[in-house]
Amino acid sequence: AQTVTQSQPEMSVQEAETVTLSCTYDTSESDYYLFWYKQPPSRQMILVIRQEAYKQQNATENRFSVNFQKAAKSFSLKISDSQLGDAAMYFCAYRSARYDNDMRFGAGTRLTVKP
Amino acid sequence: DGGITQSPKYLFRKEGQNVTLSCEQNLNHDAMYWYRQDPGQGLRLIYYSQIVNDFQKGDIAEGYSVSREKKESFPLTVTSAQKNPTAFYLCASSIRGDTIYFGEGSWLTVV
């Protein structure tokens, strides 16, 4: 089974600074998607960024960007110019492009933003 | 607005009672999912459905049941056989093989 590992249960960043959240995954497939979701205190899961495995270019969404290293099976999230509203749980997720039921989530990283 | 609507937001269940969580989507997605999240934990898949009138068990299906009579709707019933149902439940949908989008979730508490 595919696994997703987030090795940082908690992270902290000063407002306006940059923070990187780590994620590694295990798969034998070549075609898949990777995601970062944000879960604020409201508990809704909000899509932050999406990466297609066959694309070498790293995805970016405004202040959010990823460092996708396919060979190393690493998918880190960089948040630039951190804002108080970025405080949340962040989940890394893997989804097979072939098998609909195969989506795995990491255990999450709780991000605190200090004013 | 397009999206996924879950109801109720908060639900209380008495011992031995079945309860049903509603999930409706107007995104025209074929696939729908139910996840359970316990405090401080990640998400675990309960059931998923790729098409109307078809669904499959996920990792923790015991004590739960679903139906998929319409493309837009995927209700989850928590039966009395589920011994520890207190959790946060998330419904989701997707185009097959692509990004999964989530509803706002439902809290279920046993009283």
Side-chain angles (χ1 to χ4, degrees), chain A residues 11-85:
Chain A
M11 291 285 284
S12 178
V13 63
Q14 204 71 33
E15 192 176 7
E17 296 194 345
T18 296
V19 64
T20 299
L21 308 184
S22 300
C23 174
T24 58
Y25 59 95
D26 179 38
T27 184
S28 57
E29 299 185 12
S30 60
D31 193 12
Y32 50 88
Y33 298 91
L34 296 165
F35 307 91
W36 279 97
Y37 286 90
K38 170 185 177 181
Q39 190 177 44
S42 67
R43 301 299 289 267
Q44 183 171 10
M45 293 285 281
I46 301 165
L47 177 68
V48 174
I49 202 162
R50 168 183 177 273
Q51 175 78 43
E52 298 170 57
Y54 65 86
K55 289 187 176 179
Q56 291 186 333
Q57 186 174 7
N58 289 326
T60 62
E61 288 288 341
N62 301 314
R63 298 182 295 107
F64 299 87
S65 61
V66 298
N67 183 6
F68 173 46
Q69 300 290 327
K70 191 172 184 178
K73 296 179 183 175
S74 171
F75 183 61
S76 60
L77 175 70
K78 185 171 83 171
I79 306 174
S80 303
D81 186 25
S82 297
Q83 301 176 358
L84 294 177

Coordinates of all heavy atoms in Angstrom, one line a residue, chain A residues 11-85:
Chain A
M11 N 5.0 22.7 13.4 CA 6.0 23.7 12.9 C 5.5 25.1 13.3 O 4.3 25.3 13.5 CB 6.1 23.6 11.4 CG 6.8 22.4 10.9 SD 8.6 22.4 11.1 CE 9.1 23.6 9.8
S12 N 6.5 26.0 13.5 CA 6.1 27.3 13.8 C 6.9 28.3 12.9 O 8.0 28.0 12.5 CB 6.5 27.6 15.3 OG 6.3 28.9 15.7
V13 N 6.3 29.4 12.6 CA 6.9 30.4 11.8 C 6.5 31.8 12.2 O 5.4 32.0 12.7 CB 6.5 30.2 10.3 CG1 5.0 30.4 10.1 CG2 7.3 31.1 9.3
Q14 N 7.4 32.7 12.0 CA 7.1 34.1 12.4 C 6.4 34.7 11.2 O 6.6 34.4 10.0 CB 8.4 34.9 12.6 CG 8.3 36.1 13.4 CD 8.1 35.8 14.9 OE1 8.6 34.8 15.4 NE2 7.4 36.7 15.6
E15 N 5.4 35.5 11.5 CA 4.6 36.2 10.5 C 5.6 36.9 9.5 O 6.6 37.5 9.9 CB 3.7 37.3 11.1 CG 2.7 37.8 10.2 CD 1.7 38.8 10.9 OE1 2.0 39.1 12.1 OE2 0.7 39.2 10.3
A16 N 5.3 36.8 8.2 CA 6.0 37.4 7.1 C 7.3 36.6 6.7 O 7.9 36.9 5.7 CB 6.5 38.8 7.4
E17 N 7.6 35.5 7.4 CA 8.7 34.7 7.1 C 8.3 33.5 6.3 O 7.1 33.3 6.0 CB 9.5 34.3 8.3 CG 10.1 35.6 9.0 CD 11.2 35.3 10.0 OE1 11.3 34.1 10.4 OE2 11.9 36.2 10.4
T18 N 9.3 32.7 5.9 CA 9.0 31.5 5.1 C 9.2 30.2 5.9 O 10.1 30.1 6.7 CB 10.0 31.5 3.9 OG1 9.8 32.6 3.1 CG2 9.8 30.2 3.0
V19 N 8.3 29.3 5.6 CA 8.4 28.0 6.3 C 8.2 26.8 5.2 O 7.5 27.0 4.2 CB 7.3 27.9 7.4 CG1 5.9 27.9 6.8 CG2 7.5 26.6 8.2
T20 N 8.9 25.7 5.5 CA 8.7 24.6 4.6 C 8.3 23.4 5.3 O 8.8 23.0 6.3 CB 10.1 24.3 3.9 OG1 10.5 25.4 3.1 CG2 10.0 23.0 3.0
L21 N 7.2 22.8 4.8 CA 6.7 21.5 5.4 C 7.1 20.3 4.6 O 7.0 20.4 3.3 CB 5.1 21.6 5.5 CG 4.5 22.9 6.2 CD1 3.0 22.8 6.2 CD2 5.1 23.1 7.5
S22 N 7.5 19.3 5.2 CA 8.0 18.1 4.5 C 7.0 17.0 4.3 O 6.1 16.8 5.2 CB 9.2 17.5 5.3 OG 10.2 18.5 5.4
C23 N 7.2 16.3 3.2 CA 6.3 15.1 3.0 C 7.1 14.2 2.1 O 7.7 14.6 1.1 CB 5.1 15.6 2.2 SG 4.0 14.2 1.7
T24 N 7.1 12.9 2.4 CA 7.6 11.9 1.6 C 6.5 10.8 1.4 O 5.6 10.7 2.2 CB 8.8 11.2 2.2 OG1 8.5 10.6 3.4 CG2 10.0 12.2 2.3
Y25 N 6.6 10.1 0.3 CA 5.6 9.1 0.0 C 6.3 7.9 -0.7 O 7.4 7.9 -1.1 CB 4.5 9.7 -1.0 CG 5.1 10.2 -2.3 CD1 5.1 9.4 -3.4 CD2 5.7 11.5 -2.3 CE1 5.7 9.9 -4.6 CE2 6.3 11.9 -3.5 CZ 6.3 11.1 -4.6 OH 6.8 11.6 -5.8
D26 N 5.5 6.8 -0.7 CA 6.0 5.6 -1.3 C 5.0 5.1 -2.3 O 3.8 5.0 -2.0 CB 6.2 4.5 -0.2 CG 6.7 3.2 -0.7 OD1 7.5 3.3 -1.6 OD2 6.3 2.2 -0.2
T27 N 5.5 4.8 -3.5 CA 4.6 4.3 -4.5 C 5.5 3.5 -5.6 O 6.7 3.9 -5.8 CB 3.8 5.4 -5.2 OG1 2.9 4.8 -6.2 CG2 4.7 6.4 -5.9
S28 N 4.9 2.6 -6.2 CA 5.5 1.9 -7.3 C 5.0 2.4 -8.7 O 5.4 1.9 -9.7 CB 5.3 0.4 -7.2 OG 3.9 0.1 -7.1
E29 N 4.0 3.3 -8.6 CA 3.4 3.8 -9.9 C 4.2 5.0 -10.4 O 4.9 5.7 -9.7 CB 2.0 4.2 -9.6 CG 1.1 3.0 -9.1 CD -0.3 3.4 -8.9 OE1 -0.7 4.5 -9.4 OE2 -1.1 2.6 -8.3
S30 N 4.0 5.2 -11.7 CA 4.6 6.4 -12.3 C 3.7 7.6 -12.6 O 4.1 8.7 -12.7 CB 5.2 5.9 -13.7 OG 4.2 5.5 -14.5
D31 N 2.4 7.3 -12.5 CA 1.4 8.3 -12.8 C 0.5 8.5 -11.6 O -0.2 7.6 -11.2 CB 0.6 8.0 -14.0 CG -0.2 9.2 -14.5 OD1 0.1 10.3 -14.1 OD2 -1.1 9.0 -15.4
Y32 N 0.6 9.7 -11.0 CA -0.2 10.0 -9.8 C -0.2 11.5 -9.6 O 0.4 12.3 -10.3 CB 0.5 9.3 -8.6 CG 2.0 9.5 -8.4 CD1 2.4 10.6 -7.7 CD2 2.9 8.7 -8.9 CE1 3.8 10.8 -7.5 CE2 4.3 8.9 -8.8 CZ 4.7 10.0 -8.1 OH 6.0 10.2 -7.9
Y33 N -1.0 11.9 -8.6 CA -1.1 13.2 -8.2 C -0.7 13.4 -6.7 O -0.9 12.5 -5.9 CB -2.6 13.7 -8.3 CG -3.1 13.7 -9.7 CD1 -3.8 12.5 -10.1 CD2 -3.0 14.7 -10.5 CE1 -4.4 12.5 -11.4 CE2 -3.6 14.7 -11.8 CZ -4.3 13.6 -12.2 OH -4.8 13.5 -13.5
L34 N -0.2 14.6 -6.4 CA 0.2 14.9 -5.0 C -0.5 16.2 -4.7 O -0.7 17.1 -5.5 CB 1.7 15.1 -4.9 CG 2.5 13.8 -5.1 CD1 4.0 14.1 -5.3 CD2 2.3 12.8 -3.9
F35 N -1.0 16.3 -3.4 CA -1.7 17.5 -3.0 C -1.2 17.9 -1.6 O -0.8 17.1 -0.8 CB -3.2 17.1 -2.9 CG -3.8 16.5 -4.1 CD1 -3.9 15.2 -4.2 CD2 -4.4 17.3 -5.1 CE1 -4.4 14.6 -5.3 CE2 -5.0 16.7 -6.2 CZ -5.0 15.4 -6.3
W36 N -1.5 19.2 -1.4 CA -1.4 19.7 0.0 C -2.8 20.3 0.3 O -3.3 21.1 -0.5 CB -0.4 20.8 0.2 CG 1.0 20.3 0.4 CD1 2.0 20.1 -0.6 CD2 1.6 19.8 1.6 NE1 3.1 19.6 0.0 CE2 2.9 19.4 1.3 CE3 1.1 19.7 2.9 CZ2 3.8 18.9 2.3 CZ3 2.0 19.2 3.9 CH2 3.3 18.8 3.6
Y37 N -3.4 19.9 1.4 CA -4.6 20.4 1.9 C -4.4 21.2 3.2 O -3.6 20.8 4.0 CB -5.6 19.3 2.2 CG -6.2 18.7 0.9 CD1 -5.6 17.6 0.3 CD2 -7.4 19.2 0.3 CE1 -6.2 17.0 -0.8 CE2 -7.9 18.6 -0.8 CZ -7.3 17.5 -1.3 OH -7.9 16.9 -2.5
K38 N -5.2 22.2 3.4 CA -5.1 23.0 4.7 C -6.4 22.7 5.4 O -7.5 22.7 4.8 CB -5.0 24.5 4.3 CG -5.2 25.4 5.5 CD -5.2 26.9 4.9 CE -5.4 27.9 6.0 NZ -5.4 29.3 5.5
Q39 N -6.3 22.5 6.7 CA -7.5 22.3 7.5 C -7.4 23.3 8.7 O -6.8 23.1 9.7 CB -7.6 20.8 8.1 CG -8.9 20.6 8.8 CD -9.1 19.1 9.2 OE1 -8.1 18.6 9.8 NE2 -10.2 18.5 9.0
P40 N -8.1 24.4 8.6 CA -8.2 25.4 9.6 C -9.1 24.9 10.8 O -9.6 23.8 10.7 CB -8.8 26.6 8.9 CG -9.6 26.0 7.8 CD -8.9 24.8 7.4
P41 N -9.2 25.7 11.8 CA -10.0 25.3 13.0 C -11.5 24.9 12.6 O -12.1 24.1 13.3 CB -10.0 26.5 13.9 CG -8.7 27.1 13.6 CD -8.5 26.9 12.2
S42 N -12.0 25.4 11.5 CA -13.3 25.1 11.1 C -13.4 23.6 10.6 O -14.5 23.0 10.5 CB -13.8 25.9 9.9 OG -13.0 25.7 8.8
R43 N -12.3 23.0 10.4 CA -12.1 21.6 10.0 C -12.4 21.3 8.5 O -12.2 20.1 8.1 CB -13.0 20.6 10.9 CG -12.7 20.7 12.3 CD -11.3 20.3 12.7 NE -11.0 18.9 12.5 CZ -11.1 18.0 13.5 NH1 -11.5 18.4 14.7 NH2 -10.9 16.7 13.2
Q44 N -12.8 22.3 7.7 CA -13.0 22.0 6.3 C -11.6 21.8 5.7 O -10.7 22.5 6.0 CB -13.7 23.1 5.6 CG -14.0 22.8 4.1 CD -14.9 23.8 3.5 OE1 -15.2 24.9 4.0 NE2 -15.3 23.5 2.3
M45 N -11.5 20.8 4.8 CA -10.3 20.5 4.1 C -10.3 21.4 2.8 O -11.1 21.3 1.9 CB -10.3 19.1 3.7 CG -10.1 18.1 4.9 SD -8.5 18.1 5.6 CE -7.6 17.1 4.4
I46 N -9.3 22.2 2.7 CA -9.2 23.2 1.6 C -8.0 22.8 0.8 O -6.8 22.7 1.3 CB -9.1 24.6 2.2 CG1 -10.3 25.0 3.0 CG2 -8.9 25.6 1.0 CD1 -10.1 26.2 3.9
L47 N -8.1 22.7 -0.5 CA -7.0 22.4 -1.4 C -6.1 23.6 -1.5 O -6.5 24.7 -1.8 CB -7.5 22.0 -2.8 CG -6.5 21.8 -3.8 CD1 -5.7 20.5 -3.5 CD2 -7.1 21.7 -5.2
V48 N -4.8 23.4 -1.2 CA -3.8 24.4 -1.3 C -3.1 24.4 -2.7 O -3.0 25.4 -3.4 CB -2.8 24.3 -0.2 CG1 -1.7 25.3 -0.4 CG2 -3.5 24.4 1.2
I49 N -2.7 23.2 -3.0 CA -1.9 23.1 -4.3 C -1.9 21.6 -4.7 O -2.1 20.7 -3.9 CB -0.4 23.6 -4.0 CG1 0.3 24.0 -5.3 CG2 0.4 22.5 -3.2 CD1 1.5 24.8 -5.0
R50 N -1.7 21.5 -6.0 CA -1.8 20.2 -6.7 C -0.6 20.0 -7.6 O -0.3 20.9 -8.4 CB -3.1 20.1 -7.5 CG -3.3 19.0 -8.5 CD -4.7 19.2 -9.1 NE -5.0 18.2 -10.2 CZ -4.7 18.3 -11.4 NH1 -3.9 19.4 -11.8 NH2 -5.0 17.4 -12.3
Q51 N -0.1 18.8 -7.7 CA 1.1 18.5 -8.5 C 0.8 17.2 -9.3 O 0.4 16.2 -8.7 CB 2.4 18.4 -7.7 CG 3.6 18.0 -8.5 CD 4.2 19.1 -9.2 OE1 4.4 20.2 -8.7 NE2 4.6 18.9 -10.5
E52 N 1.0 17.3 -10.6 CA 0.9 16.1 -11.4 C 2.3 15.4 -11.5 O 3.2 16.1 -11.9 CB 0.3 16.4 -12.8 CG -1.1 17.0 -12.7 CD -1.6 17.5 -14.0 OE1 -1.7 16.8 -14.9 OE2 -2.0 18.7 -14.0
A53 N 2.4 14.2 -11.3 CA 3.7 13.5 -11.2 C 4.4 13.6 -12.5 O 5.7 13.6 -12.6 CB 3.5 12.1 -10.8
Y54 N 3.7 13.6 -13.7 CA 4.4 13.6 -14.9 C 4.9 15.0 -15.3 O 5.6 15.2 -16.3 CB 3.5 13.1 -16.0 CG 2.3 13.9 -16.3 CD1 2.3 14.9 -17.2 CD2 1.1 13.5 -15.7 CE1 1.2 15.7 -17.5 CE2 0.0 14.3 -16.0 CZ 0.0 15.3 -16.9 OH -1.1 16.1 -17.1
K55 N 4.6 16.0 -14.6 CA 5.1 17.4 -14.8 C 6.3 17.6 -14.0 O 6.3 17.5 -12.8 CB 4.0 18.4 -14.5 CG 2.9 18.4 -15.5 CD 1.9 19.6 -15.2 CE 0.8 19.6 -16.3 NZ -0.1 20.7 -16.1
Q56 N 7.4 18.0 -14.6 CA 8.6 18.3 -13.9 C 8.6 19.6 -13.2 O 9.2 19.8 -12.2 CB 9.8 18.2 -14.8 CG 10.1 16.8 -15.3 CD 11.4 16.8 -16.1 OE1 11.8 17.8 -16.7 NE2 12.0 15.6 -16.2
Q57 N 7.8 20.5 -13.7 CA 7.8 21.9 -13.2 C 7.0 21.9 -11.9 O 5.9 21.3 -11.7 CB 7.1 22.8 -14.1 CG 7.1 24.3 -13.7 CD 6.5 25.2 -14.8 OE1 6.0 24.8 -15.8 NE2 6.7 26.5 -14.5
N58 N 7.6 22.5 -10.9 CA 6.9 22.6 -9.6 C 5.7 23.5 -9.6 O 5.8 24.6 -10.2 CB 7.9 23.1 -8.5 CG 9.0 22.1 -8.2 OD1 8.8 20.9 -8.2 ND2 10.2 22.6 -7.9
A59 N 4.6 23.1 -9.0 CA 3.4 23.9 -8.9 C 3.6 25.1 -8.0 O 4.3 25.0 -7.0 CB 2.3 23.0 -8.5
T60 N 2.9 26.2 -8.3 CA 2.9 27.3 -7.5 C 1.5 27.9 -7.4 O 0.8 27.8 -8.5 CB 3.9 28.4 -7.9 OG1 3.5 28.9 -9.2 CG2 5.3 27.9 -8.0
E61 N 1.1 28.4 -6.3 CA -0.2 29.1 -6.1 C 0.1 30.3 -5.2 O 0.0 30.2 -4.0 CB -1.2 28.2 -5.5 CG -1.8 27.1 -6.5 CD -2.7 27.7 -7.5 OE1 -3.2 28.8 -7.4 OE2 -2.9 27.0 -8.5
N62 N 0.3 31.5 -5.8 CA 0.5 32.7 -5.0 C 1.7 32.5 -4.1 O 2.8 32.2 -4.5 CB -0.7 33.1 -4.3 CG -1.9 33.3 -5.3 OD1 -1.7 34.0 -6.3 ND2 -3.1 32.8 -5.0
R63 N 1.5 32.5 -2.8 CA 2.5 32.4 -1.8 C 3.0 30.9 -1.5 O 3.9 30.7 -0.7 CB 2.1 33.0 -0.5 CG 1.8 34.5 -0.6 CD 1.5 35.1 0.8 NE 0.2 34.6 1.3 CZ 0.1 33.7 2.3 NH1 1.2 33.3 2.9 NH2 -1.1 33.3 2.7
F64 N 2.2 30.0 -2.1 CA 2.5 28.6 -1.9 C 3.2 28.0 -3.1 O 2.8 28.2 -4.2 CB 1.2 27.8 -1.6 CG 0.4 28.3 -0.4 CD1 -0.5 29.4 -0.5 CD2 0.6 27.8 0.8 CE1 -1.1 29.9 0.6 CE2 -0.1 28.2 1.9 CZ -1.0 29.3 1.8
S65 N 4.2 27.2 -2.8 CA 4.9 26.5 -3.9 C 5.4 25.2 -3.3 O 5.5 25.0 -2.1 CB 6.1 27.3 -4.4 OG 7.1 27.5 -3.3
V66 N 5.7 24.3 -4.2 CA 6.2 22.9 -3.8 C 7.6 22.7 -4.4 O 7.9 23.3 -5.4 CB 5.2 21.8 -4.2 CG1 3.9 22.0 -3.6 CG2 5.1 21.7 -5.8
N67 N 8.3 21.8 -3.8 CA 9.5 21.2 -4.3 C 9.3 19.7 -4.5 O 9.3 19.0 -3.5 CB 10.7 21.5 -3.3 CG 12.0 21.0 -3.9 OD1 12.1 20.5 -5.0 ND2 13.0 21.0 -3.1
F68 N 9.0 19.4 -5.7 CA 8.7 18.0 -6.1 C 9.9 17.3 -6.6 O 10.4 17.7 -7.6 CB 7.5 18.0 -7.1 CG 7.2 16.6 -7.7 CD1 7.0 15.5 -6.8 CD2 7.0 16.5 -9.0 CE1 6.7 14.3 -7.4 CE2 6.7 15.2 -9.6 CZ 6.6 14.1 -8.7
Q69 N 10.3 16.3 -5.8 CA 11.5 15.5 -6.2 C 11.0 14.1 -6.5 O 10.9 13.3 -5.5 CB 12.6 15.5 -5.1 CG 13.1 16.9 -4.8 CD 13.9 17.5 -5.9 OE1 14.6 16.8 -6.6 NE2 13.8 18.8 -6.1
K70 N 10.7 13.7 -7.7 CA 10.1 12.5 -8.0 C 11.0 11.3 -7.7 O 10.5 10.3 -7.1 CB 9.7 12.4 -9.5 CG 8.8 11.2 -9.8 CD 8.2 11.3 -11.2 CE 7.2 10.2 -11.5 NZ 6.6 10.3 -12.9
A71 N 12.2 11.4 -8.0 CA 13.1 10.2 -7.7 C 13.3 10.0 -6.2 O 13.3 8.8 -5.8 CB 14.5 10.5 -8.4
A72 N 13.3 11.0 -5.5 CA 13.4 10.9 -4.0 C 12.0 10.7 -3.4 O 12.0 10.5 -2.2 CB 14.1 12.2 -3.5
K73 N 11.0 10.8 -4.1 CA 9.6 10.7 -3.6 C 9.4 11.7 -2.5 O 8.9 11.3 -1.3 CB 9.3 9.2 -3.2 CG 9.4 8.3 -4.4 CD 9.1 6.8 -4.0 CE 9.3 6.0 -5.2 NZ 9.1 4.5 -4.9
S74 N 9.7 12.9 -2.8 CA 9.6 14.0 -1.8 C 8.7 15.1 -2.3 O 8.8 15.4 -3.5 CB 11.0 14.5 -1.4 OG 10.9 15.6 -0.7
F75 N 7.9 15.7 -1.5 CA 7.0 16.7 -2.0 C 6.8 17.7 -0.8 O 5.8 17.6 -0.1 CB 5.6 16.0 -2.3 CG 4.6 16.9 -2.9 CD1 4.8 17.6 -4.0 CD2 3.3 17.0 -2.2 CE1 3.8 18.4 -4.6 CE2 2.3 17.8 -2.7 CZ 2.6 18.5 -3.9
S76 N 7.6 18.7 -0.8 CA 7.6 19.7 0.3 C 6.8 20.9 -0.1 O 6.7 21.3 -1.3 CB 9.0 20.1 0.8 OG 9.7 20.6 -0.2
L77 N 6.2 21.6 0.9 CA 5.4 22.8 0.7 C 6.1 23.9 1.3 O 6.4 23.9 2.5 CB 4.0 22.6 1.3 CG 3.1 23.9 1.3 CD1 2.6 24.2 -0.2 CD2 1.9 23.7 2.2
K78 N 6.3 25.0 0.5 CA 6.9 26.2 1.0 C 5.8 27.3 1.0 O 5.2 27.6 0.0 CB 8.1 26.7 0.1 CG 8.8 27.9 0.7 CD 10.1 28.2 -0.1 CE 9.8 29.0 -1.4 NZ 11.1 29.5 -2.0
I79 N 5.7 27.9 2.2 CA 4.8 29.0 2.4 C 5.7 30.3 2.6 O 6.4 30.4 3.5 CB 3.9 28.8 3.6 CG1 3.1 27.5 3.5 CG2 2.9 30.0 3.7 CD1 2.3 27.1 4.7
S80 N 5.5 31.2 1.7 CA 6.3 32.5 1.7 C 5.4 33.6 2.3 O 4.2 33.5 2.2 CB 6.7 32.9 0.3 OG 7.5 31.9 -0.3
D81 N 6.1 34.6 3.0 CA 5.4 35.7 3.6 C 4.2 35.2 4.4 O 3.0 35.6 4.2 CB 4.9 36.6 2.4 CG 4.3 37.9 2.9 OD1 4.6 38.3 4.1 OD2 3.4 38.4 2.2
S82 N 4.5 34.4 5.4 CA 3.5 33.7 6.2 C 2.5 34.7 6.8 O 3.0 35.8 7.3 CB 4.1 32.9 7.3 OG 4.9 31.8 6.7
Q83 N 1.3 34.4 6.8 CA 0.2 35.2 7.4 C -0.5 34.5 8.5 O -0.5 33.3 8.6 CB -0.8 35.6 6.3 CG -0.2 36.4 5.1 CD -1.1 36.7 4.0 OE1 -2.3 36.3 4.1 NE2 -0.6 37.4 3.0
L84 N -1.1 35.3 9.4 CA -1.8 34.7 10.6 C -2.8 33.7 10.1 O -3.1 32.6 10.8 CB -2.4 35.7 11.4 CG -1.4 36.7 12.1 CD1 -2.2 37.8 12.9 CD2 -0.5 35.9 13.0
G85 N -3.5 33.9 9.0 CA -4.5 33.0 8.5 C -4.0 31.7 7.9 O -4.7 30.8 7.6

